[in-house]
Amino acid sequence: MLIAVYPGSFDPVTNGHIDIIKRASKIFDLVIIAVGKHAEKNVLFSTEERVTMLREATGDIVNVEVDFFGGLLSDYVMAKGAKIIVRGLRAVTDFDYELQMALTLKKLAPTVETVFMMTNNKYIYLSSSIVKEVAGYGGCIHGLVPENVEKALECKLGAV
Ligand code: ADP
């Protein structure tokens, strides 16, 4: 069974993330979406809220699970018996950080491969940060995030 972990902050999950999750679920037997508990203070949504929103938004995909982790991603991935880490790539600006992460991971967990999936061109400039910024100023974020996330942002920021 080929298990892949898709780690991230998902603060909150966007349709760009969902696109990667759907495509990954067609390649791997099981995709574990792993919400990082790190830097809790700099996030808009708590770990529990981020996990709940992801579970609601991916409930219709049978081979996807949502979990959270603290500490080293390499330890988490090995504990789950996963061989693959999935990451999404948007513009070139993602590349340096992703390369650094992938190479560090290779040192810590040599048997684990990082697999990159190119963004859907509809979502090339979409990020959780831009969604929070637009929603924070009351802008329309319809179509950028799943509907449950749109509602959660509305409650949290009084936006939309
Ligand atoms: P992190 O803080 O670990 O970068 P994010 O939640 O921002 O976590 O992103 C998780 C992963 O999803 C990263 O690999 C990121 O490049 C990817 N990603 C984010 N937004 C998009 C998008 N619009 N299209 C494709 N991949 C994306």
Side-chain angles (χ1 to χ4, degrees):
M1 176 144 128
L2 196 51
I3 304 174
V5 170
Y6 179 34
S9 318
F10 304 105
D11 183 46
V13 58
T14 69
N15 285 343
H17 296 128
I18 296 290
D19 182 73
I20 297 284
I21 293 165
K22 283 189 177 151
R23 286 157 57 200
S25 74
K26 290 183 188 137
I27 301 171
F28 305 109
D29 298 310
L30 175 65
V31 177
I32 303 172
I33 307 168
V35 176
K37 271 170 67 78
H38 319 82
E40 266 274 344
K41 284 183 205 122
N42 300 324
V43 289
L44 179 63
F45 293 99
S46 70
T47 306
E48 291 70 27
E49 288 172 320
R50 287 179 280 151
V51 166
T52 304
M53 285 188 285
L54 271 160
R55 284 206 177 118
E56 287 166 0
T58 60
D60 58 335
I61 318 171
V62 284
N63 59 334
V64 164
E65 276 176 25
V66 186
D67 192 13
F68 60 87
F69 74 105
L72 285 174
L73 175 62
S74 52
D75 291 344
Y76 176 82
V77 170
M78 286 190 287
K80 288 284 167 186
K83 291 269 181 293
I84 306 283
I85 289 181
V86 172
R87 296 285 288 175
L89 274 183
R90 285 161 294 186
V92 279
T93 42
D94 277 342
F95 185 80
D96 263 0
Y97 176 67
E98 293 295 342
L99 178 66
Q100 192 181 18
M101 284 261 297
L103 294 182
T104 307
L105 210 112
K106 199 72 194 160
K107 179 187 183 329
L108 298 175
T111 57
V112 175
E113 287 298 334
T114 304
V115 169
F116 294 100
M117 298 185 71
M118 293 302 153
T119 183
N120 181 321
N121 63 6
K122 279 198 286 189
Y123 305 127
I124 189 158
Y125 293 115
L126 179 57
S127 66
S128 300
S129 323
I130 203 88
V131 163
K132 285 182 281 190
E133 191 163 344
V134 171
Y137 289 111
C140 176
I141 50 162
H142 189 72
L144 301 181
V145 293
E147 277 180 18
N148 63 315
V149 174
E150 208 176 315
K151 290 200 186 91
L153 280 163
E154 192 181 338
C155 292
K156 189 79 87 178
L157 300 171
V160 190

